[in-house]
Every structure is written in C-alpha cells, then in structure tokens.
C-alpha cells in the first residue's frame, strides 16, 4: 500500500500545492461549475498527499524513537537523571536571611503551611468547624463555621501551622480543606534588633526598617550582612534596660559606631518590640528614637562647639572665658547649672560644662562659622542611613545670635542621636566625616569620607574628652585600660506649652575609646530618668548615662579586640597630664 | 441451495452491497487494532484497578462490555451513505453542543475541569463526540462553499469552530481544543485555503500555543517540565522511558512488567509504556504500523475520491485519529510535553471508545467504493 502511495506521490510531485490556474474562459455556465469542482478536488488531492507525507514522517519518528529507546537504549543517562530528580519538589524559599557582621542570623524564613478551605467543597460546615476547633483551639468555632458556610472557594482558616497541627488537621479527613505552602519570617533574637530590622507583613513584604529598605534585594534571595554585632547589641541593650529600670526612665537610646568606617556596631532604642509578634506592637514601641527622634542634645553639643572654636582658630586650649556671672542677652539669661563663678580655660569649660563660657566662645567665632561647621558636621541635614525611619533636624530659621549662643550648649537645635554619633566620630577620628551605615562594608571598601576638621583639632578634642572623664563630669564612665573620653549632656525636655520642664530630662553621655587611638564612639541616652538615693537624687547624664557607657565599654572592649593599655602607654601617645596645669581643680564635682 | 458464507457479487441487499464496497483492508486493520487494545487492557488495567482499591477486572469488564457495543456501532455507521453520514453528523453535532453547554452548567468538577455529564447513569464526555461530528459538518460546509460561490460555507464553519472551541476552553480542555483546531485547520487547508492564509493560520496557531502557555498554569508547568525535566515532577515520563528500556526487543513477557504498578495512568495515557515493557519493540512497531496503515490507507482511498465533501470529511476524521495517536505516543516517548490524550482503540475509556467507533464507522462509510462521479448515494 505504501508502494502504491509512492507511485501516486511520484505522479503528483510536479503539481504544486497551490490551486491550478483558471482555464475557464469561453466555457458555458455548467462547464465552468464543473471545472471549478474539478479544480477544488484536484487541490484537495494534492494537499491530502502532502498531509499524508507529514503523517508518514511523524509515524516514522515515533517508530525510530521506539527503536532508539528499547534496543539502542538511547537517552539512558537522561532517564536515570530524571528518575533521581523525580520526587524532588522545588523548595520555595523566598526571602533571604539578614545576618550580623559575624554571620549570626538575625532574620530568616521558615517554610510553613497555611490552612485554607474551598468552602464550596465542605460538606458540613458545622461539623467541620467543630472538628477543626478541637485540634486548633485558638480558632473561634463560630468564625470558622461562618467562613466555611460562605460560598467562596478560597478562605484562609489559619496561617503558619506547626507540622503537628498540619498532621492533626489532615487526620480529620475533612474534604475541602487544603494547605498552602508559604514561609514565615523568624527573628531568632526577638526584640534585640527590632527597630533596625523592622517588620514584614503577613505576606512577607517588608514594611519597616531594613526589611522595607532592602525588600527587593531580600526577595531576590540575596542575604544581607549588617554592620551590627549581635554581642555588642546584647550588651548595649542589657545595660540600657538596667539603666531604665534603675532610674525609672521611660526610654533609652544606645549606639556604637566604628569611627574609621562609619559602621554602626549597635543601635538600640527602648522601648522596643518583638518582631515575631507584630500584633503586639504599639506606635510608641515601633518608634526608633535613635534615627527618627530629634532631640535637643544639651551639653554634648559643647564638644562640637569647642571643636569649632579650636578649628576656626578663634580659641586655643589656653583661652580663658569669664563664667563668673550669668550672661544676659535681650530678655534671655544664660547661666550655669553648678557654676564655678570664675574665669575658665577651654579644658575647664568642657570639664565643668559651662553654658556661659560656651556661649562666649560661640560669640567669638560667630554665627556664620557655626552654621558652616554644623553643616559640615552633618547637623543640618537629614542623616543618610539605610532605614526608612529617619527624622529631619529642627534648625533655627532665622539663625540669630541668640540661636548661636544656645546652640553652643545644645539648645535651640534638635537633631537625631545618629547625627551626634556621626559628628563626634569625625571629631575623634582625625577630622574625617563618614556617612553612618548599618550594612557591613567589604574590607577595603570603606568610604574615603570628607575632611571637616584639622587633624590638630581632632587631637586636641581627644585630649579634652579624656580630661573630662578623668577629672570632670564624665568620671563615672571610666574603664581601667580603655582610656574612655567623653562628654555628658542633660537637656530639659520641652513641655507641651513650649517651656522647658526641669524634671523631665534627657540625660546622655557620648564617649569614645581608647582616647589615644579612638576606635569606637559609644552613646547612651536615658529618657526622663529619676534620681535615686545612690545618685543623691541626681538624674543628670553624668550619674545615669555615663555609668551605663562605662559598663558597656568594659564588656565590648575585649569583644571587639581593643587592646588594654596602661596609663603611661596612653600618655605617651596622648599627653593629658600637662593639661592639668590649665585647670584649677581636677577633682571637682561633676557639674552640668 | 448451499449455505453461503460470504455474499454473492450479485447480492444487492444492504449487507451484500456493503461487503463488496467496503474497504476490507481498513476493516481488518481496525479489527487488529481493537484486538491489540483488548489484550493490552488485560495486561495493564488490573494493576491499576487493584491500586485504587477496585476489583482487579473492574476496567477489563467495563471495556469488554463497551467493545462489542462499539463494534456494532462502527459497523452500523459504516452502512450509511455519505449523505447519511452527513445527516448523522449534523444532528450529532447539535446534540453534542447542547450537552457540552449542559455539562458546563450541571456537570461535576473533576480535577479542576468540568468535562463529564451523567445521563441515565452513564457518564459521558460530550466533547469526545463533538470532535468527529464537527469534522464532518465542517467538511460539508467547506465543500458547499467551494462548489457554490454564493454559499457562505467558510463563514459557517468558522462560526461553528468558534462555538465548539469556546465551549472546550470553558471546561477547560486545552488539549482537545488543540486537536480540534489542528483538524479544522487541516480540513481548511485541504479545502483550498490560500497559501498566504495557511501561513497566517500557522502563525496564529503558534501564538495560540504561546497564549495557552501563558494563561493556563498547568500547561506552562507541563511544557517547562518537558524542556527541563529537573524543573518539576516528571515522574510519569521518566518511569515510562525506563519501561521501554527494560522491555527491549522482545519485552519482559505478559504480566512481567512493573511500570503498570506505579504509573497512575498505565491503562489510559501511558498504555504504550506497558506495551513496551511487557511485549517489547515488536508489539510497539505493530501498533505504530497499524495506526500508520489506517491513516495512509484511508488517505489513499480518499485520493481516488471524486466528491469534495467525502474527501474533506474522510480526511478530517483520519487526521483526528492519526493526530491523537501521534500525540499520545509522542508524549509517552518524551518527544513532546505530556498531554492527557487517549490512544485510539487501545486506551481504556468508554466515551472515547464510542466516539472513535462512530468516527471510524463514518470513515468506513465514506471510503466505500461508489460508482459514478461526485454522487453521495
């Protein structure tokens, strides 16, 4: 039969598949119709032949494949590979991990299953609900029954079942119930990194913190390595919690920054929340005070003020400012908290934290200089950090002389704690401002930064900060071997009516260590601390925040591999003792 | 008078005339195919029936109840004249379309699709019947259009195609829509569709396949798994390939195969794997040979045909028959993405068997030798 087909094919090979040309001129109507019919049938035959050839080829390929598979054992390796692959279902692990600088997992995703129902397939909603509630007691029976009774083919019943729960639901054998594979974000450290990491919503979209900023990256499966150190973070949070409890405070902020890279090693804001249980968060818990809150920082700003005075050349360490009586400007009076009521040298201004002398230094260098330096130190612009929750500083406008004077001791300008930490890092690291970052820099890829102060100024600021701890208001932060330097700050918080409230303090201490070769800046701020019997009722930065910073440094110094050195070794690099000649009293009590 | 076994040449009774005009080669090939199918159902289905907890010969018994019925239906249909075939198809298509609409409204949803309907205790898949009837009706319309310039046959055929294809897609049954479209296109091609339009139709077909890939997730998943077996579960195909490999030239012998114990569709879509494992290459080639013979023999008969309707209808039915065989064997052999398509007369399945019996009955009727040119009597 195939042979017969072949003969036909040969006979027709010459005729094309296209319809033959119309030879119908000069024919009668019936002849023409007959010719048309003939042409149609002729086309049909030719094309049928073509179709037949196609089928012959197809059957030949199939027969060939059969021979190949059975006798020639073709595709053997392929078959074997497939057999091994057969039962592996792709594991859909979407959102990538976030790890700390040492690879400790801070956020990860676990595959889970969620229970849903095709309500149209559920035979008896009442019975099904009763059974389900027995194995999933946290569901409401009435609610489940209502969902199962609705004429919908997709209703969620419970998200994120445990394997045991899934097994028990399966064992009920209720038709119409299905499991959906998904994943759940897990934060193994609970609230430790809450504000930094932020949150994901129920569908695993980042909605706050780094989860939001790096949502696309994490979804694409790229893990994120942070600059933070889980150990340092733990120490910081513990010490802040202790301070909050001791002083019955309402909140606290803590940060540690690597002064040479701008990397944030620790960032804590209290109160915090457990991102594993986002339902329990409140707006207050969610608020990241370290980056979103803007505060009048108080006396810690005197560090910036002194640096400006020294760097602009208007003051030297030997300059003397009279703080013997309050300074009256228009209707304002600037006075000292525990005044010495005598002329003070520049080191004494910081050690005794004199508002009067600081304001006089500011008048000396002037408003324009202050504005320029504050801008260079990053105090006037919104900090660049990888978090969506960043506050903008409140800057005076217009910037009058009285503003210049109050800003010198940290009032009349409100900035985020992050800005202060970044600025002070530039003060002690040799005068280079580097942007703060929560993401770990690749080794060797640290940003060059921008020079904002002379190296000499930075050197002098190290001396002054060290001196303030050795003999001034920051003495309670001293850690043997780590040569802490720093500055206290105690700001009265603005009340509802725009007046300062004497009893609502924001007490802070900003430190760097070791001062002869600064590696880290450490900040602690306590919100509304109350004095205790041990502090003789004082709730100032020197009594509340400085001890916390000291305890933090004593623990993280060894962790971070900062070598402990003797006083003499430090003195050889950063001579402090000669400065005592510039101070009248080295053992005076702390004043703010 | 002696008892004659056959019919005399002069016998002009319906049966007598039938015996002398029917294509007995085609008849013999169909009989052989049905016999092979019966044997393979015996081999493959008991294991499947036991696995699903039914009695061992559940499928065998049902198929063997259907087979005599099918043979009777096929022979009965083959008695019809071409005009009778045309009438049967027109009425049948109307009924099938109505049943398909009814299926969408009241049919139960099975594995995500609504394809079956219960009529008097028998579950039917109306779309199986729509396919052959549609092919004949389309052939009629094309032939009329070619022979009378005034008759809008092409338009009517296209309209009917749109109705049937939409009903299939609503079920949804992408595979059957594909077969229906391919057969319709083949018939349009045979009916003299201008070559420019042929090219456009092929491109539209490609676009349609891409569209199906993008809008039906299960289609996309199957194609992906064909192109890259490691991208998902290609268990059935991998197992089938191993079965062919184990079978070799002579096969392991009846009942010695293992593949039927693990493949869910061993008695339907993957029955060729069972054949390959137990009966080897020989039987596989016999089956392919029978399919090729039936299609080509039918085509050869149509080449001698002088009536355009008969040519188009016969060719359409044969293309459908052949295409189904090619797709089924092609997916079992991992030459194309898996598609749930029964192997004509071999796979288990009542509706498909009955519809095929009608279709091949019509082929037999159309391929009978007639005298004169272009007549339909």
């Amino acid at each position: 039969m195939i042979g017969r087909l072949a003969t036909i094919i040969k006979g027709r090979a010459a005729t094309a598949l296209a319809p033959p040309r119309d030879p119908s001129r000069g024919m009668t109507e019936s002849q023409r119709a007959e010719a048309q019919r003939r042409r149609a049938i002729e086309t049909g035959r030719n094309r049928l032949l073509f179709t037949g050839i196609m089928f012959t080829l197809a059957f030949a390929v199939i027969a060939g494949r059969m021979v190949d598979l059975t006798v020639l054992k073709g595709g053997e390796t392929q078959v074997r590979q497939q057999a091994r692959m057969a039962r592996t279902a792709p594991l859909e692990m979407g959102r990538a991990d976030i790890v700390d600088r040492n690879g400790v997992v801070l956020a990860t995703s676990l595959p889970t299953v969620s229970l849903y129902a095709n309500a149209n397939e559920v035979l008896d909603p009442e019975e099904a609900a009763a059974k389900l509630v027995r194995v999933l007691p946290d569901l409401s029976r009435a609610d489940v029954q209502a969902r199962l009774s609705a004429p919908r083919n997709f209703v969620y019943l419970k998200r994120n079942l445990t394997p045991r729960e899934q097994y028990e639901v399966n064992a009920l054998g209720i038709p119409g119930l299905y499991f959906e594979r998904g994943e759940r974000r897990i934060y193994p450290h609970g609230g430790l990194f809450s504000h930094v990491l932020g949150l994901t919503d129920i569908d695993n979209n980042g909605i706050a913190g780094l989860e939001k900023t790096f949502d696309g990256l994490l979804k694409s499966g790229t893990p994120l390595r942070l600059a933070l150190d889980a150990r340092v973070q733990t120490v910081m949070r513990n010490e802040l919690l202790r301070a909050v409890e001791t002083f019955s405070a309402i909140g606290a902020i803590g940060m540690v920054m690597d002064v040479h890279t701008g990397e944030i090693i620790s960032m804590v804001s209290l109160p915090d929340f457990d991102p594993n249980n986002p339902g329990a968060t409140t707006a207050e818990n969610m608020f990241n005070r370290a980056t979103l809150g803007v505060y009048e920082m108080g006396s810690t700003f005197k560090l910036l003020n002194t640096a400006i005075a020294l760097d602009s050349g208007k003051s030297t360490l030997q300059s003397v400012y009279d703080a013997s009586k309050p300074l009256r400007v228009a209707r304002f009076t600037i006075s000292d908290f525990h005044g010495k009521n005598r002329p003070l040298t520049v080191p004494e201004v910081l050690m005794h934290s004199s508002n009067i002398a600081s304001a006089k230094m500011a008048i000396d260098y002037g408003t324009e200089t202050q504005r320029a330096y504050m801008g260079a130190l990053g105090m006037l612009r919104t900090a660049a950090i990888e978090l969506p929750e960043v506050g903008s500083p409140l800057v005076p406008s217009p910037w009058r002389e009285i503003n210049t004077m109050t800003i010198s001791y940290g009032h009349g300008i409100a900035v985020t704690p992050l800005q202060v930490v970044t600025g002070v890092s530039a003060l002690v690291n040799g005068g280079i401002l580097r942007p703060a970052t929560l993401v770990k820099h690749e080794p060797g890829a640290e940003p060059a930064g921008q020079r904002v102060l002379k190296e000499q100024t930075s050197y002098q600021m190290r001396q002054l900060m060290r001196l303030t701890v050795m003999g001034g208001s920051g003495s309670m932060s001293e850690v043997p071997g780590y040569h802490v330097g720093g500055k206290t700050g105690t700001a009265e918080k603005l009340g509802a009516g725009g007046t300062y409230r004497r009893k609502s303090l924001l007490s802070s201490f900003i430190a760097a260590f070791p001062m002869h070769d600064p590696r880290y800046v450490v900040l602690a701020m306590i919100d509304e601390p109350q004095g205790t019997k041990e502090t003789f009722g004082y709730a100032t930065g020197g009594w509340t925040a400085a001890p916390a910073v000291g305890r933090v440094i004593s623990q993280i110094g060894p962790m971070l591999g900062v070598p402990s050195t003797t006083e003499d070794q430090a003195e050889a690099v950063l001579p402090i003792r000669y400065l005592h000649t510039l101070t009248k009293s080295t053992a005076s009590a702390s004043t703010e | 008078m002696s008892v004659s076994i056959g019919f005399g040449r002069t016998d002009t009774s319906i049966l007598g005339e039938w015996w002398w005009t029917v294509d007995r080669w085609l008849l013999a090939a169909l009989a052989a195919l049905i016999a092979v199918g019966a044997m393979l159902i015996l081999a493959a289905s008991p294991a499947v029936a036991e696995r699903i907890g039914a009695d061992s010969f559940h499928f065998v018994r049902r198929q063997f109840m259907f087979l005599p019925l099918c043979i009777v239906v096929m022979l009965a249909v083959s008695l019809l004249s071409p005009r009778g075939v045309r009438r049967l198809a027109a009425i049948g298509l109307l009924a099938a379309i109505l049943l398909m609409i009814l299926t969408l409204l009241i049919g139960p949803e099975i594995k995500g699709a609504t394809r079956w309907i219960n009529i008097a205790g028998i579950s039917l898949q109306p779309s199986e019947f729509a396919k052959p009837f549609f092919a004949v009706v389309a052939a009629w319309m094309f032939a009329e259009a070619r022979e009378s310039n005034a008759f809008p046959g092409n338009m009517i055929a296209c309209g009917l195609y749109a109705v049937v294809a939409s009903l299939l897609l609503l079920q949804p049954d992408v595979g059957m829509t594909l077969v229906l479209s391919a057969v319709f296109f083949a018939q349009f091609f045979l009916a003299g569709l201008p070559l420019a339009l042929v090219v456009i139709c092929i491109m539209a077909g490609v676009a349609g396949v891409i569209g199906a890939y993008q809008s039906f997730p299960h289609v996309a998943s199957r194609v992906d798994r064909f192109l890259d077996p490691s991208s998902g579960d290609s268990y059935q195909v991998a197992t089938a390939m191993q079965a062919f490999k184990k079978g070799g030239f002579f096969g392991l012998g009846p009942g010695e195969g293992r593949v039927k114990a693990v493949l869910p569709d061993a008695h339907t879509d993957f029955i060729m794997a069972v054949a390959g494992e137990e009966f080897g290459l020989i039987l596989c080639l016999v089956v392919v040979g029978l399919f090729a013979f039936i299609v080509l023999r039918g085509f050869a008969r149509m080449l001698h045909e002088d009536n355009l309707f008969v040519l188009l209808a016969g060719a359409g039915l044969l293309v459908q028959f052949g295409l189904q065989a090619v797709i089924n064997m092609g997916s079992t052999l991992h030459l194309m993405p898996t598609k749930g398509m029964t192997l004509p007369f071999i796979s288990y399945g009542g509706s498909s068997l009955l519809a095929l019996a009608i279709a091949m009955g019509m082929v037999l009727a159309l391929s009978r030798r007639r005298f004169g040119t272009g007549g339909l009597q």
Side-chain angles (χ1 to χ4, degrees):
Chain A
M1 186 230 31
I2 306 284
R4 198 193 300 174
L5 251 182
T7 341
I8 301 169
I9 292 169
K10 249 183 250 164
R12 291 176 191 275
T15 34
L17 295 178
R21 300 212 184 287
D22 182 6
S24 63
R25 267 195 292 171
M27 288 181 182
T28 67
E29 195 55 41
S30 69
Q31 275 176 323
R32 196 169 290 150
E34 178 60 19
Q36 187 184 352
R37 207 182 62 76
R38 290 255 136 247
R39 264 202 320 279
I41 201 99
E42 197 60 22
T43 308
R45 282 178 186 159
N46 288 335
R47 291 185 174 191
L48 187 57
L49 212 58
F50 174 77
T51 314
I53 294 168
M54 289 293 117
F55 264 107
T56 311
L57 288 177
F59 282 119
V61 167
I62 286 175
R65 175 70 168 168
M66 282 172 173
V67 173
D68 177 44
L69 271 182
T70 52
V71 180
L72 306 176
K73 313 287 183 196
E76 189 160 0
T77 52
Q78 193 190 1
V79 168
R80 214 175 268 158
Q81 266 176 1
Q82 282 173 4
R84 212 181 300 132
M85 301 295 292
R87 295 213 187 254
T88 39
L91 189 59
E92 284 158 18
M93 287 292 288
R95 205 170 176 85
D97 288 356
I98 302 178
V99 299
D100 87 341
R101 64 185 303 114
N102 303 313
V104 177
V105 173
L106 308 183
T108 188
S109 295
L110 285 185
T112 63
V113 291
S114 296
L115 177 65
Y116 72 93
N118 180 342
N120 296 327
E121 291 178 6
V122 176
L123 304 172
D124 184 349
E126 192 181 341
E127 188 199 347
K131 281 183 175 173
L132 267 178
V133 173
R134 223 174 296 143
V135 295
L136 304 171
D138 48 336
L139 294 183
S140 137
R141 183 171 162 178
D143 181 50
V144 171
Q145 192 178 331
R147 283 172 190 235
L148 292 181
S149 305
R152 295 173 49 196
N153 47 25
F154 190 97
V155 281
Y156 271 121
L157 294 176
K158 189 174 193 299
R159 296 258 196 173
N160 301 324
L161 273 71
T162 63
R164 187 178 180 80
E165 286 172 328
Q166 185 187 10
Y167 170 80
E168 285 178 345
V169 171
N170 249 333
L172 292 178
I174 303 172
L177 295 190
Y178 298 96
F179 297 104
E180 180 194 55
R181 276 201 296 169
E183 56 174 21
R184 182 186 177 183
R185 203 67 169 154
I186 298 288
Y187 303 92
H189 296 273
L192 184 57
F193 293 92
S194 44
H195 294 101
V196 175
L197 297 178
L199 278 177
T200 54
D201 67 9
I202 199 159
D203 294 317
N204 273 326
N205 301 307
I207 50 168
L210 293 174
E211 293 274 27
K212 183 178 182 182
T213 308
F214 292 102
D215 196 33
L217 185 85
L218 293 169
K219 274 181 181 161
S220 73
T222 317
L224 182 63
R225 183 181 284 258
L226 300 188
L228 283 92
D229 186 319
R231 304 165 303 172
V232 177
Q233 181 84 348
T234 307
V235 169
M236 176 61 85
R237 183 163 180 270
N238 286 346
E239 291 306 331
L240 291 182
L241 282 173
R242 186 210 293 230
V244 165
E245 195 182 338
T246 308
F247 301 107
S248 313
I250 62 168
I253 301 158
M255 259 186 277
V256 177
M257 178 182 271
D258 184 325
V259 299
H260 295 301
T261 63
E263 288 173 320
I264 292 170
I265 310 297
S266 167
M267 179 185 280
V268 178
S269 169
L270 295 178
D272 55 16
F273 60 94
D274 183 358
N276 291 311
N277 185 14
T281 57
T282 62
E284 204 203 329
N285 290 345
M286 291 276 292
F287 187 86
N288 186 352
R289 293 157 183 256
T291 59
L292 188 53
V294 293
Y295 308 98
E296 291 182 307
M297 299 300 296
S299 302
T300 48
F301 250 61
K302 286 172 188 159
L303 289 176
L304 304 182
N305 186 54
T306 309
I308 297 170
L310 294 172
D311 203 66
S312 62
K314 289 294 178 191
S315 307
T316 66
L317 292 183
Q318 287 80 21
S319 304
V320 175
Y321 294 91
D322 184 14
S324 55
K325 52 181 184 294
L327 191 59
R328 284 178 220 288
V329 185
R331 58 196 172 88
F332 299 98
T333 305
I334 295 169
S335 56
D336 284 353
F337 188 64
H338 271 185
K340 291 282 152 196
N341 301 323
R342 60 173 171 79
L344 299 171
T345 60
V346 168
E348 285 177 317
V349 171
L350 275 183
M351 286 168 71
H352 306 307
S353 199
S354 166
N355 296 343
I356 301 167
S358 291
K360 286 187 170 170
M361 286 161 79
I363 296 166
D364 259 12
Y365 61 69
T367 298
E368 276 320 304
T369 307
Q370 185 183 50
R371 201 208 300 247
Y373 271 99
M374 286 294 179
L377 287 164
M379 295 299 143
L380 309 183
R381 59 172 183 270
T382 310
I385 185 87
E386 294 90 350
L387 291 175
E389 301 89 4
V390 184
S392 295
L394 300 177
V395 177
S397 176
W399 195 309
R400 302 182 205 278
E401 188 165 49
I402 179 66
N403 301 113
T404 307
M405 290 159 78
T406 60
I407 285 169
S408 74
Y409 55 89
H411 284 78
I413 185 170
V415 299
T416 60
L418 177 68
Q419 286 172 285
V420 177
V421 170
T422 311
V424 171
S425 289
L427 246 56
V428 298
N429 72 3
I432 311 290
L433 187 81
R434 291 190 180 85
T437 178
L438 286 163
V439 179
K440 189 173 193 287
H441 287 304
E442 291 299 318
E446 294 86 2
Q450 210 160 9
R451 175 161 294 283
V452 291
L453 294 171
K454 299 187 186 90
E455 224 172 319
Q456 172 69 17
T457 311
S458 176
Y459 185 79
Q460 290 172 332
M461 288 312 297
R462 292 177 200 169
Q463 290 178 310
L464 294 175
M465 284 170 75
R466 177 72 186 126
L467 196 63
T468 306
V469 169
M470 286 172 78
S473 56
S475 58
M476 296 189 83
S477 70
E478 178 66 319
V479 179
Y482 281 121
H483 316 292
V484 182
K487 179 73 192 82
T488 56
T490 309
E492 287 159 13
K493 287 168 73 174
L494 270 176
T499 53
Y500 288 104
R501 295 180 295 163
R502 302 221 69 143
K503 288 291 159 199
S504 300
L505 302 179
L506 191 61
S507 303
S508 57
F509 187 73
I510 186 153
F513 77 98
M515 275 331 290
H516 59 281
D517 179 20
R519 297 268 304 271
Y520 298 98
V521 163
V522 182
L523 169 78
M525 291 176 73
I526 317 291
D527 196 357
E528 295 193 18
Q530 310 299 323
T532 64
K533 205 160 70 184
E534 285 73 29
T535 66
F536 311 105
Y538 285 118
T540 57
W543 283 99
T544 58
V549 168
R551 280 193 295 269
V552 167
I553 292 176
S554 71
Q555 293 168 76
I556 69 171
M559 281 178 191
L560 295 170
V562 181
S564 168
T565 43
T566 65
E567 210 61 54
D568 289 337
Q569 286 168 320
E571 181 75 21
V573 184
L574 188 76
I576 306 293
R577 284 171 193 147
Y578 82 97
L579 285 175
H580 288 319
T581 56
L582 296 175
T583 63
K584 294 275 192 288
S585 148
T586 55
S588 63
S590 61
T591 53
E592 297 291 314
Chain B
M1 193 179 165
S2 63
V3 180
S4 65
I5 301 168
F7 303 96
R9 285 257 183 189
T10 52
D11 188 345
T12 53
S13 73
I14 294 181
L15 280 180
E17 198 185 349
W18 175 81
W19 175 249
W20 287 112
T21 53
V22 79
D23 183 6
R24 277 163 289 181
W25 279 106
L26 208 50
L27 201 59
L30 285 169
L33 200 59
I34 290 174
V36 171
M39 181 177 80
L40 284 176
I41 280 289
L42 271 169
S45 79
V48 179
E50 279 166 27
R51 203 171 52 240
I52 65 168
D55 124 65
S56 306
F57 287 93
H58 170 77
F59 292 121
V60 174
R61 206 170 303 129
R62 288 179 60 105
Q63 189 82 342
F64 277 46
M65 261 163 50
F66 257 107
L67 275 177
L69 176 69
C70 289
I71 293 169
V72 169
V73 166
M74 185 165 80
L75 294 182
V77 171
S78 73
L79 290 173
L80 293 172
S81 67
R83 184 163 290 153
V85 167
R86 210 161 70 181
R87 288 184 186 142
L88 171 71
I91 296 165
L93 179 62
L94 194 69
I97 289 178
L98 288 177
L99 282 178
M100 280 167 83
I101 295 171
L102 209 59
T103 304
L104 284 178
L105 297 177
I106 61 164
E109 192 176 303
I110 297 169
K111 293 184 191 169
T114 320
R115 297 175 187 173
W116 297 81
I117 190 166
N118 242 312
I119 293 171
I122 307 165
S123 64
L124 278 180
Q125 197 177 354
S127 51
E128 286 280 5
F129 295 92
K131 268 188 307 184
F133 290 144
F134 173 73
V136 173
V137 172
W140 183 13
M141 292 299 121
F142 287 137
E144 289 296 325
R146 285 292 282 193
E147 275 159 26
S148 152
N149 293 330
F151 187 76
N154 292 350
M155 299 294 293
I156 297 175
C158 289
L160 279 173
Y161 165 73
V163 169
V164 178
S166 324
L167 285 171
L168 282 176
L169 284 177
L170 282 174
Q171 290 187 346
D173 192 338
V174 178
M176 207 176 281
T177 314
L178 223 72
V179 171
L180 182 90
S181 308
V183 172
F184 180 69
F185 167 71
Q187 286 185 300
F188 215 157
F189 170 68
L190 294 177
L193 187 67
L195 284 178
L197 282 177
V198 170
V199 173
I200 291 173
C201 281
I202 290 175
M203 289 195 296
V206 170
V209 168
I210 294 171
Y213 176 84
Q214 306 216 316
S215 52
F216 294 94
H218 72 277
V219 175
S221 142
R222 282 193 183 173
V223 174
D224 288 345
R225 280 182 282 161
F226 172 70
L227 295 176
D228 175 17
S230 61
S231 72
D233 182 7
S234 51
Y235 175 69
Q236 296 229 61
V237 169
T239 313
M241 308 264 283
Q242 288 232 298
F244 283 110
K245 209 186 75 189
K246 273 200 278 177
F249 193 79
F250 295 108
L252 298 174
E256 298 296 317
R258 290 283 161 272
V259 61
K260 59 191 181 187
V262 292
L263 275 190
D265 291 336
H267 62 313
T268 55
D269 299 352
F270 281 92
I271 196 158
M272 277 311 281
V274 178
E277 190 181 25
E278 300 199 354
F279 301 95
L281 176 62
I282 300 178
L283 187 75
C284 289
L285 289 182
V286 167
V287 171
V288 176
L290 280 173
F291 278 114
F293 178 84
I294 291 170
V295 172
L296 296 179
R297 170 79 191 179
F299 277 12
R301 290 292 285 220
M302 293 305 148
L303 281 176
H304 292 298
E305 188 51 59
D306 232 7
N307 182 288
L308 189 59
F309 159 69
V310 174
L311 185 148
L312 293 178
L317 292 167
L318 286 165
V319 165
Q320 183 200 317
F321 178 80
L323 203 60
Q324 224 163 303
V326 166
I327 291 178
N328 173 285
M329 292 190 282
S331 25
T332 309
L333 293 165
H334 200 235
L335 288 169
M336 59 175 73
T338 54
K339 170 67 214 100
M341 181 87 48
T342 53
L343 191 57
F345 290 121
I346 306 261
S347 293
Y348 169 81
S351 277
S352 118
L353 204 56
L354 200 57
L356 274 161
I358 295 174
M360 293 323 281
M362 293 195 287
V363 168
L364 284 173
L366 293 170
S367 64
R368 278 164 64 188
R369 196 169 286 122
R370 278 167 293 112
F371 301 100
T373 54
L376 289 177
Q377 291 306 317

